Amino acid sequence: MVLSANDKANVKAAFGKIGGQAEEYGAETLERMFATYPQTKTYFPHFDLGKGSAQVKGHGKKVAAALVEAANNIDDIAGALSKLSDLHAQKLRVDPVNFKLLGQCFLVVVASRNPSLLTPEVHASLDKFLCAVGTVLTAKYR
Amino acid sequence: MVHWSAEEKQLIASVWGKVSMEECGAEALARLLIVYPWTQRFFDNFGNLSSPTAIIGNPKVRAHGKKVLTSFGEAIKNLDNLKGTYSKLSELHCEKLHVDPENFRLLGDILVIVLASHLGRDFSPVCQAAWQKLVGVVAHTLAHRYH
């Protein structure tokens, strides 16, 4: 799966429109993921996962920042996320299936907060982008 | 058998009541064909699927999307007997249509996104949770009679 020039343009434009709200998008993505896929909570036994949790907000901010970084370096996502990829392989070891779940929730957040942004074409590009990010983050697992 | 809490049933019904299933069905199927183009393999006789615009405007896509979602409505009315409700449809998808059940999961995820885009902030996390559970159960049930 390859990101076309169109995909890259769509993704950059989408994150441009999301702008400073990326942190909120990140936090809500996690909130939805924990509510919809409770098994994802197993990676956060040390977190308060209650509504409005500062830890979830803080972590959502980190996740969003990584997605923004990947979008800003979309020609070399592997390079941009190399350290994060190491972290996931060596320390976090989040099972690969979970990246798809996070991706689904991110798309739901975009759809609910900014439906006009998520045209079918942008939806396709963002879905591919999120897949690519997941692939990079799990690339060094074995 | 799947257990549905009263809250889940209420969340499912309230979303169903707020959206046009015809619109959502057409949009969900169109997005499936656009976002996951390999799913077009089942629709050789649908005519022009050459671009997102063509797919969105294609009357066969719209009609089929409506049909699929109408069937979803049956599921919602029969949450406590999904296996019975979908037994024949499951056999059809296996024996005649030869559809890999993974496609049901893909369509379900897309439907959730379409609902989110129509309902905005009303599509709360617990709403999403109930609907992801529903689409997952429907996908599983449609695959149940596969052999």
Side-chain angles (χ1 to χ4, degrees):
Chain A
M1 181 211 51
V2 168
L3 293 175
S4 69
N6 242 16
D7 289 326
K8 292 178 184 181
N10 283 341
V11 170
K12 283 175 117 75
F15 275 90
K17 287 193 193 126
I18 291 170
Q21 291 193 294
E23 287 177 14
E24 280 176 52
Y25 277 50
E28 192 181 327
T29 296
L30 291 181
E31 186 193 348
R32 284 181 181 274
M33 191 182 71
F34 295 139
T36 307
Y37 309 108
Q39 66 272 25
T40 57
K41 296 191 290 187
T42 58
Y43 292 97
F44 299 92
H46 52 303
F47 265 31
D48 161 26
L49 296 177
K51 198 155 171 45
S53 156
Q55 284 177 307
V56 173
K57 287 203 170 93
H59 198 68
K61 191 172 161 179
K62 275 193 206 168
V63 169
L67 290 177
V68 168
E69 182 70 6
N72 288 340
N73 294 277
I74 204 163
D75 288 321
D76 182 17
I77 298 176
L81 299 187
S82 177
K83 289 215 164 43
L84 253 189
S85 179
D86 290 338
L87 183 73
H88 280 77
Q90 292 156 17
K91 187 149 174 284
L92 304 177
R93 293 170 292 183
V94 172
D95 192 285
V97 315
N98 295 287
F99 295 94
K100 192 174 188 312
L101 305 182
L102 181 89
Q104 168 73 1
C105 291
F106 182 77
L107 289 173
V108 169
V109 172
V110 175
S112 72
R113 283 177 175 248
N114 209 331
S116 60
L117 169 56
L118 203 70
T119 63
E121 293 93 329
V122 170
H123 178 171
S125 299
L126 274 179
D127 192 87
K128 284 171 79 173
F129 168 72
L130 292 165
C131 271
V133 168
T135 298
V136 162
L137 290 179
T138 56
K140 301 176 196 175
Y141 271 31
R142 55 176 172 172
Chain B
M1 206 190 78
V2 181
H3 171 73
W4 300 96
S5 71
E7 194 198 0
E8 284 169 336
K9 288 185 178 181
Q10 197 272 320
L11 287 165
I12 288 167
S14 92
V15 165
W16 193 250
K18 283 188 197 145
V19 296
S20 152
M21 271 309 135
E22 178 165 350
E23 274 311 306
C24 286
E27 196 181 333
L29 188 63
R31 280 179 187 258
L32 180 76
L33 299 173
I34 293 165
V35 177
Y36 307 114
W38 55 92
T39 58
Q40 293 171 24
R41 69 189 298 284
F42 301 107
F43 302 104
D44 277 343
N45 63 335
F46 267 29
N48 187 4
L49 298 179
S50 59
S51 69
T53 313
I55 291 170
I56 292 164
N58 185 310
K60 284 189 173 173
V61 171
R62 295 195 69 81
H64 196 66
K66 178 181 172 186
K67 191 172 177 184
V68 170
L69 264 283
T70 302
S71 163
F72 225 85
E74 280 308 297
I76 293 178
K77 281 190 238 155
N78 294 283
L79 285 177
D80 294 323
N81 181 26
L82 284 175
K83 287 211 170 81
T85 306
Y86 275 151
S87 175
K88 289 262 171 324
L89 256 186
S90 179
E91 285 170 12
L92 178 78
H93 281 77
C94 170
E95 292 161 12
K96 290 262 158 27
L97 305 177
H98 309 294
V99 176
D100 178 349
E102 180 58 22
N103 292 283
F104 310 143
R105 287 179 264 283
L106 292 178
L107 182 64
D109 277 353
I110 295 229
L111 177 61
V112 167
I113 290 169
V114 168
L115 292 174
S117 72
H118 282 252
L119 293 168
R121 308 315 286 137
D122 281 353
F123 198 64
S124 63
V126 286
C127 230
Q128 181 187 350
W131 271 84
Q132 295 277 183
K133 179 176 171 179
L134 176 63
V135 301
V137 170
V138 167
H140 177 83
T141 309
L142 270 175
H144 185 249
R145 304 281 296 170
Y146 271 54
H147 56 90

